[in-house]
Amino acid sequence: MWGFVAGAAGVRWLPARPHESILDAELDVAEPSGGHHLEHRRVPAYIPWLGLAAIFFTYVNIGGYWTYIELAADDAGVAEGLMRGLLEWGSLASITGCLLATRISDRFGLARPLMMTLASMALAVGLLHSGIDAGKVVVSILSFNLLWTFVDIFQMSSVANADHSGVFAALMPGAQGLGQIVGPNLAASLLDASLGYDAVFLLCALSTLIGLAVYAAMYWRLRRLIPALADAS
């Protein structure tokens, strides 16, 4: 409760309006002579919307995965002690992911690492589609914890880069929350139809690949319109 009170007290310090125009990106452009100059470019509105759509589909996967991974492992006879340890210590992989994501972004930008991370996450989840055992669960959970924070950092930064005003950034928790509602409900429907946990993890992998496809469309469109923004870090 006190957290909400502190948050409400801090509302008065929030700016009344964005410091920058919505979808007006300021870019540091390199000149052939070696110098630099700033340019203001208008970003099409569908670009950040594509970013939010990619976040939604990614969180369909995240919501479905975390809701049913423990139940699926228990159904497959994976030791309870092993699962408890994985879920507790696997959080360290999330911290490692945060540190690595920043270093990778500084060197390679956001777009290509994000697409590779989404593809890797789909593999980590899809690994459980063909059956669950202790070895697969260990690899899947540790990989998922590591990659999850990669995806969050890269996706959020991509939307923030496209809209420096913060208007679309404010919608990101909504996209995440909606995905976390839809994912478990779709997974529950598959289980209710007696399709089993294999179908749940196939759903998770496919939703991640859809998110990858949406983000790839956003990236390639930006490459045509504003290359400096597409490959920003």
Side-chain angles (χ1 to χ4, degrees):
M1 182 186 72
W2 292 112
F4 287 106
V5 172
V11 169
R12 64 186 298 267
W13 282 282
L14 292 176
R17 58 186 59 83
H19 291 299
E20 297 186 31
S21 299
I22 299 175
L23 302 179
D24 181 23
E26 184 178 81
L27 304 175
D28 184 5
V29 180
E31 299 172 349
S33 61
H36 290 263
H37 68 276
L38 295 178
E39 285 186 4
H40 284 265
R41 300 291 300 274
R42 182 74 178 175
V43 181
Y46 62 80
I47 294 294
W49 280 116
L50 286 174
L52 291 173
I55 291 174
F56 164 75
F57 284 112
T58 302
Y59 268 79
V60 169
N61 162 40
I62 291 172
Y65 185 90
W66 284 128
T67 300
Y68 287 106
I69 182 60
E70 191 170 6
L71 293 172
D74 180 66
D75 183 69
V78 176
E80 182 180 345
L82 173 62
M83 282 300 300
R84 189 183 307 115
L86 281 173
L87 294 174
E88 291 174 357
W89 292 100
S91 59
L92 293 177
S94 298
I95 298 173
T96 304
C98 290
L99 298 174
L100 288 176
T102 302
R103 298 295 298 273
I104 290 173
S105 172
D106 289 342
R107 183 166 183 179
F108 300 105
L110 293 168
R112 286 169 292 178
L114 173 55
M115 288 188 281
M116 291 181 64
T117 302
L118 287 170
S120 300
M121 178 178 276
L123 287 174
V125 175
L127 179 68
L128 303 178
H129 169 61
S130 58
I132 299 174
D133 57 39
K136 289 182 179 180
V137 166
V138 169
V139 172
S140 181
I141 289 180
L142 292 181
S143 299
F144 199 92
N145 270 295
L146 177 67
L147 298 171
W148 178 14
T149 49
F150 266 67
V151 168
D152 263 2
I153 290 171
F154 291 150
Q155 284 187 327
M156 290 180 178
S157 298
S158 296
V159 173
N161 272 348
D163 173 32
H164 292 183
S165 73
V167 171
F168 283 88
L171 297 175
M172 287 190 284
Q176 293 170 329
L178 183 60
Q180 286 182 309
I181 292 171
V182 172
N185 276 281
L186 286 177
S189 297
L190 294 175
L191 293 174
D192 188 56
S194 301
L195 296 177
Y197 290 109
D198 289 355
V200 169
F201 293 115
L202 178 60
L203 164 71
C204 292
L206 289 176
S207 65
T208 304
L209 292 176
I210 293 172
L212 169 59
V214 172
Y215 186 80
M218 170 186 167
Y219 171 69
W220 290 115
R221 188 59 183 162
L222 270 179
R223 286 274 294 180
R224 292 175 61 89
L225 297 173
I226 314 174
L229 186 59
D231 292 312
S233 61

